[in-house]
């Protein structure tokens, strides 16, 4: 076949240089040679292993090779005589087939890649080579078609073109080097990222981008990849033309020739500096507290989690301290949140300076910090750290021009005794911290299982109490106060009761602390005031002459809105302010800000009187009382119990009564159960008593009955 082609070429060259008859002769022999060449090049149906078919000029099949059977699945007798269209994948497939027929008249035939349908229905891409067949006189007689399945949808040339386009347009930088590591090609992203133009880079080595930050071992790895050790993917710090370093994510691969020798190396890289910055920022945001810059709960959890895994191996212990800083809320309220925030930052700095390097200090939320001591030998070490932290807060902290005093409660858990995972440790330390907050004697406490049980019980009560408000399970009882002069009922205290559907009557001693802690006391307080006023109105409508009713107020209810809230309730029920007394506790006075005094003054100005409940159990001194507009002192039951036999109780009761008389305050003794107690108090000059001796707290109807029948205290034997 090659012979025939060569003869053809030689003849055609000769023809170009000849004229006239000689030319005609040469052309005739050229035709003959061409026919021979065509015959040699064209496949024959029998000889070729490919799928080969023959068509007549109208497209009907006249020959079908075994290869065609293999490719399409039709036997020769199924295909012969049919129009070739039955092999087409779609009706309008390769519409330019006519051109192909025309092209097929050329020396080398025509080539096309088209879709065809196999007998089993499968559509395949085939590469089709069409040759025109000529009869003896050189006229077209039919078509010879050779087909081979192509696996890909793209021709090789298209593929090369496409790939070149993709490389050029890629967002990634592309760098191709030859076997000598000289740069032979780059794309436009390479120039955009590195700053080097093709002229500046082609012919150079990739050292052009070398930053010098990687060590020899790392460079050896990259070199090995470039020498064919296998594709390599990693991050390399490169250097731009302007000298700036940049992180790049790189993939290096090699291209081998047919002998397996490396002909080229190509690197694909992207500039990940922005990505890295964002990653670093995100990392910070996810792991550090925005205000103080200290680790947050997330990072604390990770660090302690790791330490715990190590500790388990080495059987070591660690501790978790959760701290709540007190008074920050009040400081922020009065001086603004900027001062409050600055204060928290300063506390963070002070704690950090107190702790050892290896201890983790984190800010949890609000006013809470956590300290993880990753390795401790004894529980006491955690206590020492707690004391050190508390000592840090002993002196006032200066922020701007203010000198601010804060305190802290600390709860401590030890791992692995108390818990084996970080959330449990923090939760239990929180339980201990809340316990410490209620404890007057200790500012820090270790967690115990008993605490946890109580905390759980609290939570259950809290949710049940919420329901109680909705389900109308609350009611007020009234306990009379009687005059120690006349023996008559001169007042009553409204006391909250909870008729629990399962537990029966629950004592306020149980649920009031829960309500205080959860904030539910605000809703309860509102309910009590509302209910008491409604009751007073009902009694008035029943023509009952009512002494004032005292309502207990929680310190949490005591805000600047309180006077308006009370005024609204009084008005709603048409109750006069002097029909209501308010009982407050000493904790409110200890908080003692000007704000509290102003609110008290406002309440008194409205016509209500204030009584100080449980007097003697808190910290306030009688002298201190002068600052507050309080008209009544209630001596706590704990001092009444021992009367008249306990010397201390007698002395205290006597001192309270004497001082109160000088302050012109009325005195009510709580919890008087015996005639002896009553007589002693009466002799001291106490004004009223409230206690089981006269009556327990009773439902409203019973109290009304007592009033109606004019029940009086019998003074009995005089002391
Ligand atoms: P409190 O205000 O000091 O009320 C007096 C408590 O002493 C009442 O207990 C009363 O039942 C009890 N008591 C009165 N006389 C005697 C007696 O002779 N012997 C004995 N053993 N106890 C007597 P209660 O009703 O259980 O209330 C306990 C505390 O719960 C109250 O102490 C008060 O602090 C709080 N509380 C009750 N109702 C309310 C309320 O509506 N709001 C608020 N914030 N606290 C309330
Ligand atoms: Mg009271
Ligand atoms: Mg009391």
């Amino acid at each position: 076949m090659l012979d025939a082609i060569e003869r053809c070429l030689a003849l055609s060259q000769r023809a170009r240089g000849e004229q006239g008859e000689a030319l005609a002769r040469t052309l005739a022999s050229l035709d003959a040679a061409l026919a021979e060449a065509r015959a040699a090049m064209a496949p024959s149906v029998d000889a070729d292993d490919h799928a080969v078919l023959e068509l007549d000029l109208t497209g009907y099949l006249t020959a079908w090779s075994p290869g065609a059977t293999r490719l399409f699945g039709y036997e020769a007798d199924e295909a012969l005589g049919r129009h070739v269209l039955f092999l087409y994948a779609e009706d309008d497939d390769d519409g330019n087939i006519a051109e192909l027929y025309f092209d097929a008249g050329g020396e080398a035939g025509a080539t096309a890649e088209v879709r065809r349908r196999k007998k089993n229905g499968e559509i395949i891409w085939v590469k089709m080579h069409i040759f025109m067949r000529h009869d003896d006189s050189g006229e077209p007689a039919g078509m010879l078609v050779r087909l081979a399945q192509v696996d890909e949808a793209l021709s090789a040339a298209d593929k090369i073109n496409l790939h070149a386009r993709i490389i050029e347009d890629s967002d990634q930088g592309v760098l191709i080097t030859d076997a000598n590591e000289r740069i032979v090609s780059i794309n436009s992203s390479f120039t955009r990222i590195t700053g080097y133009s093709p002229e500046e880079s082609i012919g150079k080595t990739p050292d052009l981008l070398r930053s010098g930050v990687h060590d020899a071992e790392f460079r050896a790895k990259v070199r090995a990849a470039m020498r064919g050790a296998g594709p390599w993917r990693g991050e390399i710090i490169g250097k731009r033309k302007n000298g700036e370093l940049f992180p790049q994510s790189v993939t290096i691969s090699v291209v081998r020739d047919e002998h397996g020798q490396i002909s080229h190396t190509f690197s694909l890289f992207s500039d990940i500096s922005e990505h890295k910055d964002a990653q670093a920022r995100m990392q910070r945001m996810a792991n550090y507290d925005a205000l103080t810059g200290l680790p947050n709960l997330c990072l604390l959890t990770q660090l302690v989690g790791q330490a715990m895994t190590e500790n388990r191996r080495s059987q070591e212990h660690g501790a978790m301290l959760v701290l709540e800083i007190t008074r920050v809320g009040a400081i922020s309220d009065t001086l603004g949140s900027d001062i409050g925030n600055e204060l928290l930052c300063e506390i963070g700095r002070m704690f950090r300076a107190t702790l050892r390097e290896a201890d983790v200090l984190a800010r949890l939320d609000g006013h809470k910090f956590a300290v993880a001591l990753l390795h401790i030998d004894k529980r006491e070490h955690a206590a020492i750290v707690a004391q050190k932290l508390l000592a840090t807060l002993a002196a006032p902290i200066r922020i701007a021009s203010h000198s601010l005093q804060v305190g802290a409660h600390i709860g401590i858990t030890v791992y692995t005794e108390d818990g084996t995972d970080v959330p449990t440790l923090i939760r239990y330390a929180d339980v201990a911290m809340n316990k410490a907050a209620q404890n007057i004697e200790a500012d820090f406490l270790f967690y115990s299982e008993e605490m946890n049980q109580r905390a759980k019980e609290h939570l259950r009560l809290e949710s049940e109490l919420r329901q109680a408000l909705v389900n109308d399970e609350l009611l007020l009882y009234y306990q009379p106060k009687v005059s120690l002069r006349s023996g008559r009922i001169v007042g009553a205290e409204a006391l909250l009761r909870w008729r629990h559907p399962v537990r029966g009557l629950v004592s306020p001693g149980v649920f009031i602390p829960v309500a205080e802690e959860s904030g539910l006391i605000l809703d309860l307080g509102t309910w009590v005031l509302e209910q008491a006023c409604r009751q007073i109105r009902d009694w008035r409508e029943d023509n009952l002459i009512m002494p004032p009713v005292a309502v207990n107020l929680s310190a949490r209810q005591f805000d600047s809105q309180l006077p308006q809230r009370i005024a609204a309730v009084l008005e709603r029920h048409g109750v006069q302010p002097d029909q209501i007394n308010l009982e407050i506790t000493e904790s409110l006075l200890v908080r003692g800000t000007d704000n509290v005094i102003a609110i008290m003054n406002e309440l008194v100005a409205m016509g209500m009187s204030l009584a100080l409940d449980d007097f003697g159990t808190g910290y306030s001194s009688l002298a201190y009382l002068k600052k507050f507009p309080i008209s009544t002192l209630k001596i706590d039951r704990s001092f009444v119990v021992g009367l008249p036999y306990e010397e201390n109780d007698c002395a205290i009761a006597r001192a309270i009564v004497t001082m109160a008389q000088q302050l012109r305050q009325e005195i009510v003794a709580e919890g008087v159960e015996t005639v002896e107690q009553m007589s002693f108090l009466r002799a001291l000059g106490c004004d009223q008593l409230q206690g089981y001796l006269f009556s327990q707290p009773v439902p409203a109807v019973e109290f009304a009955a007592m009033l109606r029948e004019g029940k009086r205290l019998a003074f009995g034997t005089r002391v």
Side-chain angles (χ1 to χ4, degrees):
M1 185 178 89
L2 282 173
D3 280 1
I5 295 172
E6 270 166 22
R7 274 194 12 240
C8 256
L9 284 172
L11 282 169
S12 71
Q13 268 161 12
R14 250 177 52 205
R16 274 184 220 126
E18 286 173 355
Q19 305 259 318
E21 233 180 280
L23 174 64
R25 258 197 325 272
T26 309
L27 284 178
S29 17
L30 179 61
D31 266 352
L34 266 176
E36 205 182 316
R38 268 188 218 118
M41 280 166 61
S44 99
V45 172
D46 302 325
D48 206 296
D49 200 34
H50 282 93
V52 180
L53 359 151
E54 248 181 60
L55 313 172
D56 65 17
L57 284 174
T58 52
Y60 286 91
L61 283 157
T62 53
W64 183 263
S65 77
T69 300
R70 275 197 298 279
L71 181 61
F72 290 108
Y74 294 103
E75 293 298 334
D77 56 358
E78 290 177 288
L80 288 173
R82 296 179 73 176
H83 196 276
V84 72
L85 278 173
F86 86 101
L87 294 174
Y88 281 28
E90 287 150 22
D91 291 346
D92 59 350
D93 206 1
D94 39 89
N96 58 355
I97 199 78
E99 277 172 42
L100 284 173
Y101 280 85
F102 183 73
D103 287 350
E107 288 169 27
T111 305
E113 278 181 19
V114 290
R115 277 146 42 90
R116 289 292 178 262
R117 188 192 307 276
K118 288 165 66 166
K119 186 178 178 186
N120 66 9
E122 186 191 342
I123 307 289
I124 52 172
W125 279 92
V126 292
K127 188 173 185 122
M128 181 165 74
H129 214 102
I130 307 170
F131 301 89
M132 192 68 87
R133 285 182 68 85
H134 298 81
D135 59 17
D136 291 345
S137 57
E139 287 301 309
M143 221 98 43
L144 211 136
V145 183
R146 190 163 73 176
L147 302 140
Q149 183 168 356
V150 285
D151 292 330
E152 281 130 306
L154 279 178
S155 73
D158 283 351
K159 211 187 270 181
I160 289 169
N161 271 336
L162 193 62
H163 288 190
R165 283 290 301 279
I166 291 170
I167 288 177
E168 186 51 27
D169 295 348
S170 165
D171 248 9
Q172 291 197 304
V174 176
L175 167 79
I176 303 174
T177 59
D178 63 12
N180 298 320
E181 293 182 18
R182 299 277 150 199
I183 299 173
V184 292
S185 179
I186 58 166
N187 69 350
S188 54
S189 286
F190 176 97
T191 305
R192 178 176 48 79
I193 297 170
T194 66
Y196 290 109
S197 66
E199 297 75 43
E200 290 166 321
S201 44
I202 287 178
K204 308 263 173 53
T205 70
D207 276 351
L208 190 67
L209 306 177
R210 197 167 137 183
S211 64
V213 302
H214 295 290
D215 58 14
E217 194 188 337
F218 183 86
R219 288 206 310 277
K221 249 193 261 168
V222 176
R223 281 214 106 69
M226 294 184 75
R227 293 192 174 143
W232 181 88
R233 199 169 275 127
E235 281 182 18
I236 303 183
I237 305 292
K239 187 157 98 178
R240 298 189 224 270
K241 187 178 163 187
N242 65 9
E244 189 187 18
L245 301 187
F246 70 103
Q248 46 177 337
S249 164
V250 187
T251 310
I252 298 173
S253 318
V254 296
V255 183
R256 292 177 192 274
D257 62 17
E258 63 270 28
H259 308 297
Q261 298 297 316
I262 293 172
S263 64
H264 295 91
T265 304
F266 67 90
S267 313
L268 298 176
F269 63 92
S270 31
D271 181 349
I272 52 170
S273 40
E274 270 180 30
H275 177 65
K276 281 254 158 191
D277 285 353
Q279 216 177 13
R281 267 201 311 278
M282 269 165 57
Q283 188 79 2
R284 274 206 78 73
M285 267 161 56
N287 287 322
Y288 292 88
D289 169 48
L291 175 66
T292 59
L294 291 171
N296 62 10
L297 176 64
C298 177
L299 186 56
L300 175 79
T301 309
Q302 284 170 38
L303 294 172
V304 178
Q306 276 164 16
M308 281 170 81
T309 315
E310 287 165 23
N311 284 6
R312 258 196 288 281
R313 241 178 278 132
S314 59
Q315 309 251 306
E316 278 187 287
H317 301 274
M320 176 76 76
L321 285 70
V322 172
L323 302 85
E324 186 167 51
I325 311 294
T326 56
R327 302 202 65 237
V328 183
I331 289 169
S332 296
D333 285 351
T334 347
L335 302 175
S337 55
D338 284 353
I339 298 285
N341 287 343
E342 185 47 43
L343 177 63
L344 284 171
C345 290
E346 183 56 24
I347 291 170
R349 281 191 284 271
M350 286 160 56
F351 282 170
R352 193 57 272 178
T354 309
L355 294 164
R356 292 194 187 156
E357 191 84 2
D359 304 334
V360 183
L361 170 66
R363 177 164 176 244
L364 299 183
D365 51 36
H367 313 145
K368 265 199 225 169
F369 291 86
V371 174
L373 311 173
L374 302 181
H375 307 283
I376 55 163
D377 296 332
K378 291 184 189 162
R379 285 169 80 87
E380 293 79 76
H381 291 175
I384 292 170
V385 174
Q387 275 161 342
K388 262 170 52 176
L389 293 169
L390 288 165
T392 317
L393 305 178
I397 302 169
R398 279 205 80 77
I399 302 290
S401 57
H402 309 283
S403 180
L404 306 171
Q405 182 69 65
V406 296
H409 312 296
I410 306 179
I412 308 171
T413 38
V414 175
Y415 54 88
T416 45
E417 284 96 309
D418 296 333
T420 50
D421 62 280
V422 183
T424 305
L425 286 170
I426 293 182
R427 191 153 47 84
Y428 287 174
D430 227 37
V431 169
M433 184 199 74
N434 285 326
K435 196 81 200 143
Q438 295 156 16
N439 192 316
I440 302 169
E441 278 124 53
D443 286 330
F444 69 88
L445 284 178
F446 282 87
Y447 166 81
S448 71
E449 180 50 32
E450 181 219 38
M451 274 181 197
N452 190 36
Q453 289 307 331
R454 219 172 302 157
K456 276 193 199 152
E457 171 72 9
H458 259 218
L459 274 181
R460 217 180 44 170
L461 266 180
E462 184 191 324
S463 78
E464 288 181 352
L465 197 51
R466 246 176 248 288
Q467 280 306 308
L469 264 167
V470 182
N471 297 350
D472 219 14
E473 290 165 17
L474 299 174
L475 65 160
L476 283 183
Y477 270 28
Y478 296 86
Q479 186 176 33
K481 296 178 186 172
V482 287
S483 162
L484 279 168
R485 272 181 286 275
S486 64
R488 287 176 192 275
I489 297 175
V490 289
E493 178 174 7
L495 292 159
L496 194 53
R497 295 289 177 266
W498 176 10
R499 206 180 291 285
H500 190 282
V502 180
R503 302 178 199 213
L505 216 55
V506 184
S507 151
V510 173
F511 68 84
I512 293 285
V514 176
E516 292 266 6
E517 209 174 287
S518 62
L520 257 179
I521 193 73
L522 297 177
D523 292 340
L524 288 187
T526 306
W527 184 90
V528 169
L529 198 65
E530 190 82 36
Q531 180 61 24
C533 287
R534 189 176 301 136
Q535 186 64 69
I536 292 170
R537 187 195 58 198
D538 289 353
W539 278 327
R540 192 186 52 215
E541 284 170 3
D542 285 352
N543 294 321
L544 201 65
I545 299 173
M546 273 300 300
V549 173
V551 170
N552 292 283
L553 281 187
S554 152
R556 292 188 71 148
Q557 289 172 268
F558 231 81
D559 58 35
S560 53
Q561 309 300 312
L562 180 71
Q564 283 112 288
R565 285 203 305 270
I566 296 181
V569 180
L570 292 178
E571 201 179 308
R572 192 157 47 248
H573 297 284
V575 171
Q576 295 304 310
D578 62 2
Q579 286 183 276
I580 292 279
N581 288 343
L582 302 172
E583 292 192 9
I584 55 172
T585 52
E586 279 177 278
S587 62
L588 195 64
L589 309 189
V590 177
R591 219 172 80 188
T593 57
D594 291 347
N595 205 15
V596 168
I597 299 180
I599 298 168
M600 287 184 180
N601 284 332
E602 214 176 316
L603 292 168
V604 172
M606 281 163 62
M608 279 176 283
S609 56
L610 298 177
L612 190 58
D613 207 349
D614 305 342
F615 187 75
T617 55
Y619 299 102
S620 52
S621 66
L622 280 168
Y624 190 72
L625 279 181
K626 276 199 289 193
K627 285 168 57 179
F628 302 95
I630 288 165
S631 53
T632 308
L633 281 189
K634 296 187 77 178
I635 305 178
D636 192 64
R637 197 171 72 85
S638 56
F639 303 110
V640 174
V641 172
L643 303 181
Y645 310 109
E646 280 281 336
E647 250 175 63
N648 277 346
D649 285 353
C650 293
I652 291 170
R654 194 174 290 119
I656 294 175
V657 173
T658 317
M659 295 285 283
Q661 281 169 338
Q662 284 178 13
L663 290 170
R664 297 187 199 293
Q665 282 166 339
E666 214 174 21
I667 303 160
V668 180
E670 292 184 305
V672 180
E673 295 185 358
T674 65
V675 175
E676 289 82 359
Q677 288 166 346
M678 183 268 290
S679 304
F680 183 86
L681 289 160
R682 190 163 176 241
L684 273 188
C686 193
D687 301 294
Q688 294 166 24
L689 74 73
Q690 180 182 343
Y692 294 175
L693 175 67
F694 183 73
S695 167
Q696 296 214 352
V698 292
V701 265
E702 284 182 38
F703 179 67
M706 267 187 236
L707 273 182
R708 277 210 183 84
E709 73 199 29
K711 179 174 172 180
R712 278 207 202 186
L713 177 68
F715 291 118
T717 42
R718 282 166 201 275
V719 185

